[in-house]
Amino acid sequence: MRCLSVPPEDPIPAAAPVGHRHPPPPSLVSPGVAHDPYPAFRVLRESFPLVRDELLGAWLVSRYVDVRDALGREELVALPPGRTLAHMEGATHRAHRALIEPALRGRAVAALAAGASRTAHVLARRIAARQESDLVAEFCRWLPTAAVVAALGLSREDTARVQRWCRGGLTHLGGGHHELDAWLRPHLARRRARPGDDLLSVLCAAEVGGRPLSDGTVAGLVGSLLGGGGEATALALASLLANLLDDPGQLALVRERPELVPAAWAESLRRDPPVPVVLRRAVRPVVVAGAALPAGAVVACLVGAAGRDPARFADPDRYDVLRADRGGLAAGMGRHACPGAELAGRTAGYGLHALLDALPGLRWAPGFRPAPQGLLSRGPRALLVRPR
Ligand code: HEM
């Protein structure tokens, strides 16, 4: 599990928390919050819509409208250090997004997804032969990593290595892995010499401002793409399966009406986002949740709290695949909104279809209860099931 910590920042002047009441506001670093942040999120939303978490060193924003607004604010940028897309701004950010977005949208994604579908069926058939299986270890971690590895044009054998790195801190919003650069170097040299039509070749051949991207920049972008699949999508897929297995009525509905799979995915992202907290830092004074914060303020946008805001979603703790409102903020908002959201959704959809086809009796192993963990990256770390 990754810890939630904020690097030391410029001192922030003390300001009266909005909604100063008793009991005191919960801190995100209190014991137990990473295990279940939702009670704390509720208190924050109801009584402290903008409050300084002294232990974390950040301002917490929890209501749907305020989180949506904060995610789109130009004055709030990703926390340093980092070299991923999430850390870029202005013209550089737009230029790098223009390189990556076409490869993660539309027809390019449909081609990739066909490979993901094949992988999903192979994995699901393997699980069908077992008496008991852990869907996280045997399915969720493999499938999304394999999809992004294929998008980049890397070999299937690299999937296991990337997955290990994701468990060791490679994330799409800033985390890195010390082995990534050295491992990528020969791949980059080959693509620079003889470009193919994969995403890694596109990045190697690209010029921004008339200059090619350095190896370090390409490695930063590749890290965010690999982390997006191996970390965020894997956790989100695990949460989707947990939500369905926890409610056999909902699972039966999706089995009867497979056209509900995209709704089941969107609803799970709303209720149990894999990135429940997005951290930002003010580069200029900024208004957040109706209050002025100074330059240097660190703001924690609580996407997980926003997704369960009753002012936006009726009966918000309930997982309901028939919910009409799919407006969750799991993929972010504005200029940094996730460019991999479509790929993630398609990959998860193929995964769920494959499991439903191959495992007609899928249910929890006797006595098993999923235990999601984490705040910056959240999801169940194991899903023990009886496939037959
Ligand atoms: C369910 C899966 C996923 C979720 C919930 C998710 C969520 C997010 C969130 C919350 C952000 C930050 C938005 C912000 O800062 O405002 C983001 C950014 C990003 N995501 Fe994802 N993501 C997922 C999958 C992926 C995948 C599969 C990829 C790549 C193939 C990816 C690549 C990226 C990149 C490159 C950024 C940075 C974009 C930018 O700063 O312009 N993500 N994602």
Side-chain angles (χ1 to χ4, degrees), residues 33-66:
V33 171
H35 176 62
D36 181 4
Y38 289 100
F41 285 170
R42 184 179 315 117
V43 174
L44 289 167
R45 249 184 349 246
E46 286 172 0
S47 304
F48 305 97
L50 175 74
V51 69
R52 177 135 170 94
D53 184 333
E54 293 296 345
L55 290 175
L56 180 65
W59 293 87
L60 309 181
V61 187
S62 49
R63 290 184 179 166
Y64 181 92
V65 285
D66 297 333

Side-chain angles (χ1 to χ4, degrees), residues 67 70-72 76-78 84-89 93-94 96-97 100-101 103-104 112 144-145 147-149 151-152 172-173 199 220-237 265 269 272-280 301 303 329-345 347-348:
V67 173
L71 286 171
L76 293 174
V77 305
T84 70
L85 204 54
H87 293 93
M88 298 172 188
E89 291 295 337
H93 178 245
R94 283 192 294 278
H96 285 80
R97 268 196 85 113
I100 282 183
E101 270 184 313
L104 296 177
L112 269 181
T145 308
V148 181
V149 163
L152 286 163
H172 70 321
L173 299 186
L199 179 51
L221 294 170
V222 167
S224 49
L225 298 174
L226 291 173
E231 180 224 13
T233 317
L235 290 168
L237 179 56
W265 169 247
L269 285 177
D272 295 289
V275 185
V277 179
V278 174
L279 293 170
R280 293 277 166 84
C301 304
V303 167
L329 299 175
M333 183 55 62
R335 69 198 184 285
H336 287 289
C338 181
E342 185 184 337
L343 174 60
T347 306

Side-chain angles (χ1 to χ4, degrees), residues 102-196:
L104 296 177
R105 290 245 168 98
R107 270 206 334 212
V109 160
L112 269 181
S117 172
R118 272 195 305 278
T119 308
H121 280 95
V122 170
L123 294 173
R125 277 199 298 274
R126 211 177 282 164
I127 291 168
R130 303 210 201 297
Q131 213 203 344
E132 199 162 291
S133 164
D134 175 1
L135 290 180
V136 171
E138 296 182 66
F139 195 80
C140 302
R141 282 194 192 134
W142 286 100
L143 180 63
T145 308
V148 181
V149 163
L152 286 163
L154 299 167
S155 103
R156 257 192 317 170
E157 286 69 47
D158 292 323
T159 306
R161 180 196 316 264
V162 170
Q163 228 189 63
R164 267 200 317 279
W165 293 347
C166 290
R167 271 175 280 154
L170 180 66
T171 73
H172 70 321
L173 299 186
H177 197 281
H178 59 280
E179 289 172 28
L180 178 70
D181 289 36
W183 170 73
L184 260 185
R185 214 167 290 131
H187 291 288
L188 299 185
R190 270 199 297 280
R191 299 304 196 288
R192 290 200 195 278
R194 271 195 315 283

Side-chain angles (χ1 to χ4, degrees), residues 351-364:
L352 184 56
H353 281 295
L355 289 175
L356 296 180
D357 284 355
L359 315 174
L362 185 64
R363 65 201 183 284
W364 289 132

